[in-house]
Amino acid sequence: MPAPALGPGPAAPVPKARVGVLISGRGSNMAALLYASRLAGAAYEIVLVAANDPAAPGLDLARAEGIATFAHSHVGIRRAAFDALIDEQLRAAGVEYVALAGYMRLLSRDFVVKWQGRIINVHPSLLPLYKGLDTHERAIAAGDREAGCSVHIVTPELDDGPVLGQARVAILPGDTPDSLAARVLIAEHQLYPRILNAFVAGQR
Ligand SMILES: Nc1nc2c(c(=O)[nH]1)N[C@@H](CN(C=O)c1ccc(C(=O)N[C@@H](CCC(=O)O)C(=O)O)cc1)CN2
Ligand SMILES: NCC(=O)N[C@@H]1O[C@H](COP(=O)([O-])[O-])[C@@H](O)[C@H]1O
């Protein structure tokens, strides 16, 4: 009796997309991306967390979780030169996609063009409403009934790229910018990992 023909065998695992996260502060969105990347079936892994402030608390969290980090102050360095420093670190780490997570620096055109189509950002408003900073103050001052967050493609213009996903959050009577920000942050932590996963999976 001839031995049964061996099938092709188990498919080779699809390598996970290598993601670099840029932060400036506490890094709660970075943490949400990191923990989601460890769930079964995640299409990405975080291979570097970089910050423009060596004192960013998110760096301690990343290091404690075994993620490589890079930090350098941007103060006194021309924007394009600083971005080139970040770019060098991202490429050295083999990063394929960049996720901005509370990164509070406008990126230079040269940097964005180099990463165009592979760099996304989470923004605390329902774009195109309230690009830039102080989004919750502005929504409350305008008397809006709802706020929220957006994940968008990063382009050279500020918060102007195509929106990949949004989550809406009701503005409650008596809301302050801080109380609203706290609820929008919950929505960000749910939206961002889902969008990043779909984004990298759709390009594999
Ligand atoms: N070229 C781009 N760069 C960045 C984008 C983008 O869409 N295109 N998104 C921002 C994220 N962001 C809001 O979501 C944002 C970050 C920073 C600023 C800003 O005005 N920064 C000042 C410094 C402010 C400070 O240090 O407190 C600056 O860079 O001079 C606005 C919006 C990330 N970058
Ligand atoms: N314009 C960029 C911007 O305002 N980003 C916002 O900064 C916070 C960072 O929190 P985190 O460091 O805990 O992720 C987040 O709410 C993010 O949407």
Side-chain angles (χ1 to χ4, degrees):
M1 171 71 74
L6 296 178
V14 176
K16 293 180 182 289
R18 296 173 65 84
V19 173
V21 182
L22 302 190
I23 67 171
S24 294
R26 69 191 161 194
S28 73
N29 270 288
M30 176 274 293
L33 295 177
L34 175 60
Y35 300 144
S37 74
R38 294 173 172 170
L39 299 176
Y44 68 91
E45 60 178 333
I46 293 175
V47 298
L48 180 70
V49 172
N52 66 308
D53 179 358
L59 292 166
D60 293 333
L61 191 158
R63 292 180 189 123
E65 292 288 353
I67 306 299
T69 61
F70 171 79
H72 198 294
S73 172
H74 67 274
V75 175
I77 304 177
R78 282 188 317 102
R79 196 177 297 273
F82 182 77
D83 290 354
L85 187 62
I86 296 292
D87 178 59
E88 182 183 346
Q89 294 296 320
L90 292 169
R91 293 178 189 280
V95 167
E96 298 171 285
Y97 297 89
V98 178
L100 307 183
Y103 189 68
M104 301 308 287
R105 296 292 296 172
L106 187 64
L107 290 164
S108 58
R109 175 172 293 273
D110 284 356
F111 181 94
V112 175
V113 167
K114 277 184 181 178
W115 290 94
Q116 190 85 43
R118 295 187 295 146
I119 178 170
I120 62 176
N121 175 52
V122 61
H123 179 75
S125 81
L126 295 173
L127 291 171
L129 292 174
Y130 310 124
K131 298 176 182 179
L133 301 174
D134 304 324
T135 61
H136 303 310
E137 289 85 342
R138 293 150 70 189
I140 291 171
D144 295 351
R145 302 288 297 273
E146 64 177 11
C149 52
S150 306
V151 177
H152 64 95
I153 300 277
V154 172
T155 60
E157 294 69 34
L158 183 58
D159 301 331
D160 193 52
V163 173
L164 300 174
Q166 295 186 307
R168 298 176 181 279
V169 174
I171 297 178
L172 305 179
D175 252 334
T176 65
D178 286 348
S179 62
L180 178 56
R183 288 199 312 281
V184 172
L185 199 59
I186 296 170
E188 291 178 40
H189 293 167
Q190 296 174 43
L191 178 70
Y192 209 180
R194 180 179 301 191
I195 298 298
L196 175 59
N197 201 77
F199 183 66
V200 304
Q203 301 200 23
R204 307 301 282 169

